[in-house]
């Protein structure tokens, strides 16, 4: 069996942010060119964006955010538009084309859903998603998100610290890493019928990274339930790491004693390391990581990428003394 390495994926399968942006700008230009405001409404009525107009339900009972976990956003940084967060997605189980995921995932059913938490712990438990959200009510966490492909967003997640879940199963002292697995169901995730990646998607964290309060399991965004294209019903968010660590539609979390083999590390170990910490000083073998394009900005505008994506103060100590060039 051969596995498609990223370098084998034709460039045409990956939507260049510039192409996507251009498409949006053309739409906006068309709207602006209309003589009356109604033209825009008419344009949108005749050409609805896939999945638009079907907003997920609002989440009731959102908990208060601990101020020490809130991201301080400077004046020129504001949450990315809901439309962009939900129509510019990486989710290879549905498509390798970012602009296509929303439509292909729109009928993905994420209820009922269980998450099995097992491995090296005293109380392995299978949680029903809705019971879990009662035990750990989501709070708003506005995080900077940085994809390894050098684009970024600011996302107002709803989620809870992963540590809350792990504490409940009582990890043993032998548990050193946490492994996460996405649903394996080729009937519901059409690209799992193809060898796009080795399935299911797997990710992992070191125990101290998993227990850090900034590490969350997200069940929503913008005060609403998580749309399928963003990883419903529950996905990982680690704001100081590249986006591919944020595994979607999780069905299993296992406590293990050694670093799990993760999807992108299996596919291209020289390009995607286990740590995947955002680091402007360590380039990807095929492109620079020094700057990024914030989705919503002009595609020409590059912002400097910040060490640990701007979360150095909170997480820098986790990597004290580590060679971040070797452990990329
Ligand atoms: N199961 C699964 N999880 C995944 C991916 C994927 O293809 N499959 N893509 C990852 C990548 S590369 C990124 S950048 C983020 C994108 O999340 P978003 O679409 O909500 O912005 O999801 C991550 N989680
Ligand atoms: Mo990514």
């Amino acid at each position: 069996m051969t596995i498609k390495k990223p370098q084998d994926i034709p460039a045409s399968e990956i939507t260049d942010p510039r192409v996507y942006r251009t498409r949006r700008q053309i739409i906006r230009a068309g709207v602006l060119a209309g003589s009356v405001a109604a033209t825009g409404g008419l344009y949108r009525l005749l050409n609805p964006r896939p999945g638009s107009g079907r907003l997920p339900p609002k989440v009731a009972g959102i908990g208060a955010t601990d101020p020490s976990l809130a991201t301080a956003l400077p004046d020129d940084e504001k949450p990315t538009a809901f439309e962009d967060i939900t129509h510019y997605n990486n989710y290879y189980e549905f498509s390798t084309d970012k602009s296509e995921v929303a439509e292909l995932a729109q009928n993905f059913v994420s209820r009922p859903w269980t998450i099995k938490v097992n491995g090296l712990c005293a109380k392995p438990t299978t949680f029903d998603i809705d019971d879990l959200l009662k035990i750990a009510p989501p709070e708003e966490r506005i995080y900077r998100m940085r994809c390894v492909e050098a684009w970024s967003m600011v996302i107002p997640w709803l989620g809870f610290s992963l540590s809350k879940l792990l504490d409940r199963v009582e990890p043993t002292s032998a548990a050193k890493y946490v492994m996460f697995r996405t649903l394996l169901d080729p009937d519901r995730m059409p690209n799992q019928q193809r060898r796009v990646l080795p399935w299911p998607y797997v990710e992992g964290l070191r125990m101290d990274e998993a227990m850090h309060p900034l590490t969350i399991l997200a069940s929503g965004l913008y005060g609403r339930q998580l749309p399928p294209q963003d990883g419903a019903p529950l996905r990982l968010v680690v704001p100081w790491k590249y986006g591919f660590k944020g595994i979607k539609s999780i069905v299993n979390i296992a406590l293990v004693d050694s670093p799990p083999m993760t999807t992108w590390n299996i596919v291209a170990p020289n390009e995607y390391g286990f740590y995947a910490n955002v680091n402007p000083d360590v380039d990807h073998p095929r492109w620079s990581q020094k700057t990024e394009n914030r989705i919503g900005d002009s595609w020409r505008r590059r912002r400097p990428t910040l060490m640990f994506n701007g979360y150095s103060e909170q997480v820098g100590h986790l990597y004290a003394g580590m060679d971040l060039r070797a452990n990329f």
Side-chain angles (χ1 to χ4, degrees), residues 85 88-93 147 149 151 153 155 157 182 197 201 229-230 235 243-244 246-248 264:
I85 297 173
Y88 191 74
N89 302 102
N90 269 335
Y91 203 168
Y92 279 24
E93 284 83 344
C147 177
E149 298 164 281
W151 49 267
M153 297 191 186
I155 304 188
W157 296 110
T182 293
L197 287 175
Y201 198 98
Q229 60 266 39
D230 291 287
R235 58 90 59 85
F244 67 86
I247 180 172
K248 296 175 170 182
W264 284 102

Side-chain angles (χ1 to χ4, degrees), residues 22-23 60 74 87 97 130-131 135 172 176 179 199 228 242 265 271 302 311 315-316:
T22 308
R23 217 178 283 155
H87 290 85
D97 177 343
D130 294 309
D131 294 342
I135 298 166
T172 68
K176 304 284 188 234
M179 176 168 78
W199 309 114
Y242 291 120
N265 190 248
E271 302 191 18
R302 312 282 315 171
Y311 297 93
V315 304

